[in-house]
Amino acid sequence: MSARRAVGWVAVVGVVVAGGWIVTRPTPGDYIPGLGPSSKEASKTPPIVGDPPPRTVADPEALDVDVYFPAQKVVESGNYKGKRSGVRRGENCTEVLQDRTLELLREAGCKGYLAVSFTAQEKPVLSSITLLRFADAPTAAKAAEALRGKPGSVAFILPDATTAPALPAALARPATEPRVELVGHYVTVTSSRPSDARTGAGTGAPSPSGSPAAPLPVPSVSAANLDQLLDEATRAISFTGGAPFVWM
């Protein structure tokens, strides 16, 4: 145990003896379990935009991003390793659409969303996963089919929690197509992009289609290898994002 942690534990014992204070459950990044993250770790916490959707009996954690995707936890699958970046969340699912004039999710009865960006470690890849909550599995299944019929309708979340413009046709490729999965009464939409093949600056809301693109080459990565990296990232994040909801 480091000197810093030892001092922290002594302080906790003193507080408990003096006032009978009960330490709460630990959270990711705690130096002292239950006292919250250190200032150093807190400064590294990725940005979160919006309020969590209301709690329900079926979803008591209310799509709490820190429960499902802890900021300090590394997602590992095969050759992929990545960590959570920016987050967007809310009750109005229309906010996740590239074109917010669409009635796609409002008509489907979407009850809340959680959109999370992931950044690959040592790989030029960004990933985005959006979780959509529905009243029941049949409703979610219909929504999944609707989303599969409109690929690219869900906006891509960037590490700073802004949303990226849609990929122009010249940059689109099979490896960047979204993966739509039905998990219980949830739907996940996951996709990946090269981290330095930007389509312009991110914004606080989805940009209109046709935004000017400023693609940059991905150094020392062949097209085939890049496609493999994108595919591995999408599969890893899709599985990780859907796993907690399979039995809900």
Side-chain angles (χ1 to χ4, degrees):
M1 181 182 295
S2 68
R4 186 175 185 179
R5 287 177 180 267
V7 170
W9 279 115
V10 170
V12 170
V13 172
V15 172
V16 171
V17 171
W21 184 47
I22 298 174
V23 178
T24 59
R25 69 175 183 175
T27 56
D30 284 8
Y31 277 130
I32 304 171
L35 296 188
S38 66
S39 57
K40 179 180 179 182
E41 292 298 328
S43 66
K44 296 181 180 179
T45 301
I48 298 179
V49 176
D51 298 320
R55 295 176 182 271
T56 67
V57 174
D59 180 18
E61 297 292 353
L63 291 179
D64 187 334
V65 68
D66 290 316
V67 171
Y68 298 119
F69 309 112
Q72 305 306 321
K73 182 178 180 180
V74 177
V75 173
E76 295 189 55
S77 179
N79 295 319
Y80 177 84
K81 290 184 180 181
K83 293 182 72 174
R84 185 188 109 193
S85 301
V87 176
R88 300 185 74 85
R89 60 190 183 181
E91 186 176 5
N92 181 5
C93 297
T94 301
E95 294 171 355
V96 309
L97 296 176
Q98 194 73 44
D99 180 359
R100 293 188 178 183
T101 65
L102 293 177
E103 298 291 332
L104 187 64
L105 295 176
R106 186 179 294 113
E107 292 179 351
C110 185
K111 303 296 184 180
Y113 75 91
L114 180 64
V116 188
S117 174
F118 281 85
T119 302
Q121 295 183 342
E122 301 178 357
K123 304 291 184 183
V125 173
L126 299 176
S127 299
S128 173
I129 180 169
T130 299
L131 293 88
L132 304 168
R133 180 175 68 192
F134 296 88
D136 51 49
T139 304
K142 292 180 181 178
E145 286 303 311
L147 289 169
R148 292 187 183 110
K150 287 187 175 293
S153 57
V154 174
F156 191 95
I157 305 301
L158 294 169
D160 61 358
T162 61
T163 56
L167 276 177
L171 290 180
R173 53 207 300 165
T176 60
E177 292 180 359
R179 185 183 184 94
V180 181
E181 298 287 354
L182 174 66
V183 282
H185 59 277
Y186 292 79
V187 173
T188 63
V189 182
T190 314
S191 59
S192 298
R193 297 182 179 185
S195 59
D196 48 0
R198 310 250 179 203
T199 59
T203 62
S207 299
S209 57
S211 298
L216 298 175
V218 179
S220 69
V221 178
S222 68
N225 287 341
L226 177 58
D227 283 350
Q228 182 178 354
L229 291 176
L230 294 172
D231 184 66
E232 287 179 345
T234 298
R235 289 176 180 275
I237 299 303
S238 178
F239 175 79
T240 301
F245 305 95
V246 171
W247 303 110
M248 289 186 175

